[in-house]
Amino acid sequence: MISVAVVDAETPGNVGTIARSMKNFGLSELLLVNPPDLDPDGEAYGFAGQAREDILPEAREVSFDYLVENYHTVACTATTNEDDSSHVRYPAKTPAELADSLAGVEADTVIVFGRERVGLTNDELERLDEVCSIPASADYPVLNLGQAATIVLYELRELTVARDQHPEELHARADEAAVEGLYEEFGSFLDSIDHPEEKRHRVRRLFRRLVGRAHPTGREAKTLRGVFRRARQRIERTEE
């Protein structure tokens, strides 16, 4: 199981935002070290969305020692060391790399986020097992606490989300028969508008390359074929 811990958060709204992100990406256990007051009528619950119904009210206040003693810990930090001459913030994994490595960890794991302004201290980092850092602009790598948590938890979704809201395929390419039918109708359209005969082969090839790169869906191929057919038929009726 993967849990989330927030250490010494200053803003209730960020705690609510993190709870909402947890709900989005299939996590349920929120652990709070020295949390701010989470008033049910305040901004934490206001920012939490549906997580106000379970994750936020069921969040547990624990000590930092409790995290270290009971979980495989992953520290999140914006600032890392340049090389292994210092081991406090090095080596580090990106969130995507973290997802791959945690897939093989059987122990309960907690992703630990620090304070809004200064993050986790070096003393705290030294006690945690792994370091994760989000790649960002070197000129301004520090993210808002809620944003950082959302990015990390999104990358862990393959470990935490059994099924998402998407269909199995977000883009199903039309079958070859439908695509070939579109090509043929386009060719007939060129004939009906009396496109210069010596140019028709090249234009048909250009259209084939264009459609080939676009990977149209079945509905798109059928609709385009219908447009060319109706245009061709109108031209033919006009000529008659």
Side-chain angles (χ1 to χ4, degrees), residues 188-204:
S188 298
F189 169 75
L190 291 178
D191 295 340
S192 68
I193 64 173
D194 198 25
H195 194 74
E197 188 170 352
E198 69 277 9
K199 295 183 179 180
R200 291 179 197 176
H201 177 73
R202 179 168 60 86
V203 173
R204 292 182 66 163

Side-chain angles (χ1 to χ4, degrees), residues 173-185 218 221-222 225:
R173 187 181 188 276
D175 61 43
E176 290 306 315
V179 176
E180 285 299 323
L182 172 60
Y183 294 148
E184 291 173 7
E185 191 59 58
K222 180 179 180 181
R225 185 177 181 181

